[in-house]
Amino acid sequence: MKLRVVALQSLIFTVEWGLMLLGFGLISVLIVPYAIFPETGSIYRFLNAGLKALFGLMLSLVWLFIWDRQVRAFFYSKE
Amino acid sequence: MDKVVALLLGAIGLPVSAVITRFLISWNSSHGIFGVDVHKTEKTIVPEMCGAAMAITLIVLAGVYSLVDPRYSLQLISFILVVGIAAIAGALDDFRRLGGMFKPLVGLLCGVPVSILGLMFPGQVYNPELGIPLFGGFRLPIIYPLIIPLAISVTANTVNMLDPLNGVMAGGIAIACAGLLIGLLLTAQSPTPIFLYALLLFVSLGFYIYNRYPSRAFSGNVGQLSLGAALGAAAILGRAEIATIVAIFPNIQNSFFFLSKIRRFTEHRRLTSKPTMLLPDGRLSSTPDRGAPLTLVRTIISAGPAVEYDIVKTVFLLYLLSSILGFLTLLLMGPFHL
């Protein structure tokens, strides 16, 4: 059993889990309740939905980037 | 009472899946459907495509449950369609060895029935409100149906990608589903999520009996894709999207690091740089090749070689941790209705 790997991976998973909850919290408190465009027509509803999705996508990329840095730092630093 | 029926019917998945797997081992052997266990020095021949047993069991028992409790028949029909399409695509890939883009595209197709049925019968298939731990949730009426095919493609392919060693896929998904099932028993107000996750857990375990180290049956793409697509469908139909992502963190890490290194959808067998190599003493070692993908198995053995069984145990421990985090995610979401 690779206990060092399990410990480091556990740390990575827990950090990523915490960041995920934080990110969804950010989205639900700061992004979802507000409309960037006035929701007077269907096109604006779609634009608002698209922009919010784009923000969620950007947060996901940041989340994956942090995951990537952690794995490389813990396991592939010699490379 | 509904929850008990759902749980019991899901548990029937274990003997049914095991019996069908046993049958397929004989049938596939007699019809020359074999794979080579490349991580054994003696290169053992093992019956391939036995994971079809999981697809068959998932479809049959979901059909039975839709007859037992017709209130949820639309959800179960969409689940059956997802698993059916994934199984057919997986079988095609097993026989024809299709290109790297085939599986992600077919994964998208698998989710289409859920989106269409959901748009045709609003509120009866899925709920477009994403449950968020600690923060309640928010409605995504426009984005949610568009994301469904993508979500199912991701789960189908990520499960497909993390089956490199004996028993890893079936055992890992069983561990992930066990944590989620316990969480759902405490939080879900409807029996459908309990049935779906119990079914996934026990069907995986039934197959695991023959797939565990040393394997007597290989899953093939037919089993991997259908189990992965079923997991994605269960997450959407059971409103456990975020918890399911958390429970399969090992799969997410494996796929992400594979794609970030290779930068394209491709088959493992077409890789010129393999992530691991088999040593003459039977242990697996990380490759010194810098161009090889940083898979989960390679990460586990990055500090030194290990025997296959030890690596499998390490992967299971990682699944256990992510399953506990998935369970906690469900608890933080609190009780919910479909």
Side-chain angles (χ1 to χ4, degrees), chain B residues 268-286:
Chain B
H268 274 274
R269 58 182 172 267
R270 291 186 183 159
L271 283 177
T272 46
S273 307
K274 303 285 181 192
T276 59
M277 54 190 186
L278 186 64
L279 301 176
D281 62 4
R283 290 183 304 161
L284 283 168
S285 168
S286 175

Side-chain angles (χ1 to χ4, degrees), chain B residues 54-277:
Chain B
M54 292 190 286
I56 294 165
T57 313
L58 288 169
I59 289 170
V60 169
L61 288 180
V64 171
Y65 188 57
S66 74
L67 297 175
V68 170
D69 200 338
R71 287 175 297 170
Y72 307 107
S73 56
L74 271 173
Q75 287 188 312
L76 294 160
I77 287 167
S78 55
F79 180 79
I80 290 167
L81 288 170
V82 169
V83 179
I85 295 170
I88 292 167
L92 261 176
D93 196 37
D94 281 324
F95 282 120
R96 302 267 164 155
R97 302 284 176 201
L98 300 160
M101 278 305 292
F102 174 75
K103 283 188 272 194
L105 290 176
V106 163
L108 291 173
L109 186 67
C110 291
V112 171
V114 183
S115 294
I116 290 176
L117 281 172
L119 292 170
M120 285 168 67
F121 304 97
Q124 293 183 58
V125 178
Y126 61 81
N127 185 338
E129 185 176 318
L130 188 67
I132 306 293
L134 300 172
F135 294 92
F138 44 81
R139 285 183 64 77
L140 299 163
I142 298 168
I143 295 170
Y144 200 90
L146 299 174
I147 288 178
I148 289 171
L150 189 67
I152 291 179
S153 181
V154 167
T155 55
N157 283 284
T158 198
V159 169
N160 178 252
M161 289 167 87
L162 189 51
D163 191 17
L165 305 175
N166 292 177
V168 161
M169 178 202 61
I173 296 301
I175 295 167
C177 289
L180 294 172
L181 178 61
I182 296 168
L184 287 167
L185 283 167
L186 297 172
T187 57
Q189 305 293 307
S190 154
T192 319
I194 292 164
F195 167 73
L196 293 176
Y197 280 93
L199 186 62
L200 280 164
L201 163 64
F202 290 109
V203 163
S204 306
L205 282 179
F207 179 70
Y208 179 75
I209 293 170
Y210 296 100
N211 183 236
R212 71 180 193 270
Y213 182 89
S215 278
R216 285 175 283 166
F218 279 167
S219 165
N221 289 304
V222 60
Q224 294 156 353
L225 284 180
S226 49
L227 191 66
L231 187 66
I236 287 155
L237 302 171
R239 291 198 66 197
E241 304 93 335
I242 295 176
T244 304
I245 293 171
V246 173
I248 58 166
F249 266 177
N251 298 78
I252 305 282
Q253 178 171 321
N254 183 65
S255 307
F256 170 62
F257 280 90
F258 182 89
L259 290 174
S260 72
K261 192 81 176 178
I262 301 300
R263 296 185 186 278
R264 67 179 194 279
F265 291 107
T266 187
E267 290 291 293
H268 274 274
R269 58 182 172 267
R270 291 186 183 159
L271 283 177
T272 46
S273 307
K274 303 285 181 192
T276 59
M277 54 190 186

Side-chain angles (χ1 to χ4, degrees), chain A residues 1-6 9-10 12-14 16-17 20-21 24-25 27-29 32 45-46 49-50 52-53 63-65 67-68 71-72 75-76 78-79, chain B residues 130 132-133 135 138 142-143 242 245-246 249-250 252-253 256-257 260 290 294-296 298-300 302 304-306 310 313-314 317-318 321 325 328-329 332:
Chain A
M1 186 78 72
K2 301 273 188 182
L3 286 177
R4 182 181 166 273
V5 173
V6 173
Q9 275 292 162
S10 302
I12 293 171
F13 286 173
T14 310
E16 289 301 314
W17 180 64
M20 192 178 191
L21 298 190
F24 275 116
I27 292 173
S28 58
V29 172
V32 171
R45 279 185 64 227
F46 280 99
K52 286 171 186 176
W63 182 68
L64 286 171
F65 178 77
W67 198 329
D68 180 87
V71 171
R72 285 177 198 273
F75 299 107
Y76 299 99
K78 285 174 190 164
E79 290 184 24
Chain B
L130 188 67
I132 306 293
F135 294 92
F138 44 81
I142 298 168
I143 295 170
I242 295 176
I245 293 171
V246 173
F249 266 177
I252 305 282
Q253 178 171 321
F256 170 62
F257 280 90
S260 72
R290 282 169 170 245
L294 310 177
T295 59
L296 188 68
R298 187 180 173 200
T299 300
I300 289 170
S302 59
D310 265 353
K313 279 197 294 186
T314 308
L317 212 55
L318 297 180
L321 176 84
L325 292 176
L328 289 175
T329 309
L332 292 174

